[in-house]
């Protein structure tokens, strides 16, 4: 991951390691759990490595183990993966401005935009005097590396050990809660958090828990869009009022 850029690049990398450390603590054990599950289903460890490199979607990878064991077809894989990761389309919309001038790594940053990477990129300030694209790349690549490492370790050990993995999948949920709390403390705008809580409560009350995630994302997005339009309308109205007052003078 190091390039020949000297002290500044090394300092930037170490800063990214510090920032992504909570993700390491979540991705390594969860990746190990995935590796165990995949080898337990009868697959060689290399498949764990390839899936983590080229698919890199934690929840989709876990579900894929069940689908593989059930002999599911390609269309089942595609449709289920699309539904599970549909939330990333909403992430992508909110990252348009941040990724507008990162041409060197844009393709990889789009591919590697997991929940945890998104949380870090939106809550962490880019250090002064460093390229934004390099800083974002280090964070995304380190998180990807953690996931690959955990998956490979788990897959290799899976053929040797017999471990009860009940409850291990909750590591990802706990990790995302921690990142959300951290983002809350770094954010100056609280309305998105209020909207998210409201959308979650409404979706749980009115819809099935199985559909809660996608429904809450849609409701939350609509609330934020409506809020943004109201804010923009107020700003426009205030601006027009100032112009009228200047005209009267």
């Amino acid at each position: 991951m190091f390039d020949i850029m000297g002290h500044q690049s090394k300092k930037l990398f170490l800063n990214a390691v510090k920032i992504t450390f909570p993700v390491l603590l979540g991705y390594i054990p969860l990746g190990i759990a995935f590796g165990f599950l995949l080898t337990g289903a009868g697959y060689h460890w290399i498949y764990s490595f390839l899936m983590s490199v080229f698919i890199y979607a934690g929840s989709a990878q876990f579900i894929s183990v069940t689908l593989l064991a059930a002999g599911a077809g390609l269309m089942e894989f595609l449709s289920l993966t699309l539904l599970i990761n549909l939330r990333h389309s909403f992430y992508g919309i909110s990252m348009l401005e941040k990724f507008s001038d990162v041409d060197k790594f844009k393709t990889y940053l789009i591919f590697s935009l997991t929940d945890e990477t998104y949380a870090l990129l939106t809550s962490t300030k880019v250090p002064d005097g460093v390229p934004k694209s390099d800083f974002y790349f280090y964070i995304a690549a380190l998180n990807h590396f953690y996931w690959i490492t955990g998956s490979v370790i788990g897959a290799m050990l899976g053929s040797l050990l017999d471990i009860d993995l009940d409850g291990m999948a909750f590591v990802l949920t706990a990790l995302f809660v921690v990142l959300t709390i951290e983002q809350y403390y770094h954010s100056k705008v609280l309305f998105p958090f209020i909207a998210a809580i409201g959308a979650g409560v409404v979706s749980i009350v009115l819809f099935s828990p199985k559909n809660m995630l996608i429904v809450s994302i849609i409701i939350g997005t609509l609330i934020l869009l409506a809020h943004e339009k109201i804010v923009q309308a107020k700003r426009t109205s205030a601006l027009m009022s100032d112009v009228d007052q200047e005209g009267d003078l």
Side-chain angles (χ1 to χ4, degrees), residues 34 38 43-66 68 77 81 111 144 147-148 151-152:
F34 167 71
L38 191 63
Y43 291 89
H44 192 273
W45 71 266
I46 194 64
Y47 289 101
S48 179
F49 171 75
L50 293 174
M51 290 178 70
S52 295
V53 169
F54 296 108
I55 298 177
Y56 188 36
S59 54
Q61 286 182 227
F62 273 97
I63 294 212
S64 69
V65 176
T66 303
L68 287 169
F77 271 99
T81 301
F111 162 75
H144 195 180
W147 179 254
I148 293 170
S151 299
V152 172

Side-chain angles (χ1 to χ4, degrees), residues 68-143:
L68 287 169
L74 179 61
M75 290 306 299
E76 292 175 287
F77 271 99
L78 292 176
S79 59
L80 190 58
T81 301
L82 176 63
L83 289 173
I84 292 173
N85 293 316
L86 188 61
R87 66 189 186 281
H88 289 186
S89 62
F90 297 96
Y91 294 168
I93 292 173
S94 67
M95 297 298 288
L96 288 175
E97 183 177 351
K98 284 184 174 291
F99 287 175
S100 61
D101 53 352
V102 291
D103 294 337
K104 185 166 61 170
F105 300 117
K106 179 177 284 188
T107 300
Y108 178 74
L109 288 173
I110 293 172
F111 162 75
S112 59
L113 192 62
T114 62
D115 298 340
E116 293 73 28
T117 300
Y118 173 82
L120 292 180
L121 294 183
T122 54
S123 63
T124 306
K125 181 181 178 181
V126 179
D128 296 332
V130 301
K132 180 173 69 173
S133 58
D134 291 358
F135 183 65
Y136 287 172
F137 171 75
Y138 280 136
I139 290 177
L142 280 168
N143 288 345

